[in-house]
Structure formats: C-alpha cells, structure tokens
C-alpha cells in the first residue's frame, strides 16, 4: 500500500511518497539513479530491516528520506538520507543481530533453543553476505 504524507521543507509543504514495497523502492532507484541498483531480494531485505527497526523510506521530488515511526507517537519524523546511509544502517543492524544470535547459540537453554539459534544465525550470516 503506497501512502503519501505531508512534509514541511525549507521550500514549503511537500508530499512524501512512501517507498514501502519492493517495486516502489526499485522504481525509485531506477528513476533517480542512486548508484545502488537493487535486486528484488536486496530491496525486500532492506525494507524488512527498516520496518523491523520502526523506520520507513520515502522520497520528495527525487530526494530520499528515512522516516522514524517511533520517535514521536502517531507521527513520522522524516530526515533526508542517502541510500548509502540506509545500507550502512541495515549492515549495522545485521551485525548486531548476528552477535546476539551467536551469543544465544553459544549459551542455549536446551537443544531446541540451540537449533533455533543456529538457524537464525545462519540466516543472518546469509543476509550479511548479500548485504556485502
């Protein structure tokens, strides 16, 4: 679902077009040549990490923004961002999750906990390889 939000810039009020789907993010990348061509899998991964950390991506007149969903209740706080910044944030979040998963798999409560932790660790390491 594409949503648009009013946004106040130095030039006045503009509309933020949310980039919440793989198709919307890839279309933005193609249209504005961000230097980071994404596959569907990569775009889906980026959007998943953003959503999981209470952020959303958007654009205003070709400028890229990150919206914080958690900073102010029932309001999105938009900040101009670059795709490079987004990818850096996603890589950092992945790294933190890998460390958590590794610690959990090294100190499991039981075998089931170990198996779940190992599976999560392997999935995160695969995502890390894709992000690289």
């Amino acid at each position: 679902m594409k949503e648009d939000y009013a946004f106040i810039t130095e030039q006045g009020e503009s509309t933020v077009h949310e980039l919440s789907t793989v198709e919307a993010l890839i279309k933005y990348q193609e249209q504005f040549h961000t230097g980071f061509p994404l596959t569907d899998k990569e775009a889906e991964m980026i959007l998943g990490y953003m959503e999981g950390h209470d952020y959303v991506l958007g654009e205003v007149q070709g400028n890229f923004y990150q919206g914080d969903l958690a900073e102010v209740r029932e309001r999105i706080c938009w900040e101009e961002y670059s795709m490079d910044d987004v990818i850096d944030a996603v890589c950092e979040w992945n790294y933190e999750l890998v460390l958590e998963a590794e610690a959990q798999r090294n100190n499991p409560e039981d075998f089931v906990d170990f198996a779940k932790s190992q599976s999560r660790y392997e999935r995160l390491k695969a995502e890390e390889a894709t992000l690289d």
Side-chain angles (χ1 to χ4, degrees), residues 46-131:
I46 287 169
L47 291 172
Y49 273 89
M50 297 304 287
E51 181 180 331
H53 287 83
D54 292 327
Y55 288 98
V56 65
L57 300 175
E59 70 90 11
V60 175
Q61 300 170 354
N63 295 319
F64 196 65
Y65 286 85
Q66 174 180 280
D68 189 334
L69 301 171
E71 186 174 325
V72 177
R73 188 179 174 114
E74 298 190 26
R75 184 172 151 233
I76 299 175
C77 297
W78 294 101
E79 178 182 0
E80 193 163 359
Y81 237 60
S82 70
M83 183 56 72
D84 190 39
D85 292 334
V86 168
I87 291 171
D88 285 346
V90 169
C91 288
E92 184 176 316
W93 291 329
N94 172 268
Y95 177 72
E96 291 168 0
L97 292 171
V98 165
L99 292 179
E100 287 176 16
E102 185 172 31
Q104 190 172 10
R105 79 181 180 138
N106 290 334
N107 296 305
E109 293 178 18
D110 53 31
F111 183 74
V112 172
D113 187 43
F114 171 78
K116 287 180 183 178
S117 299
Q118 181 65 26
S119 176
R120 179 174 180 238
Y121 176 80
E122 290 171 359
R123 178 182 52 80
L124 289 166
K125 289 301 278 184
E127 289 178 356
E128 179 181 56
T130 299
L131 291 167

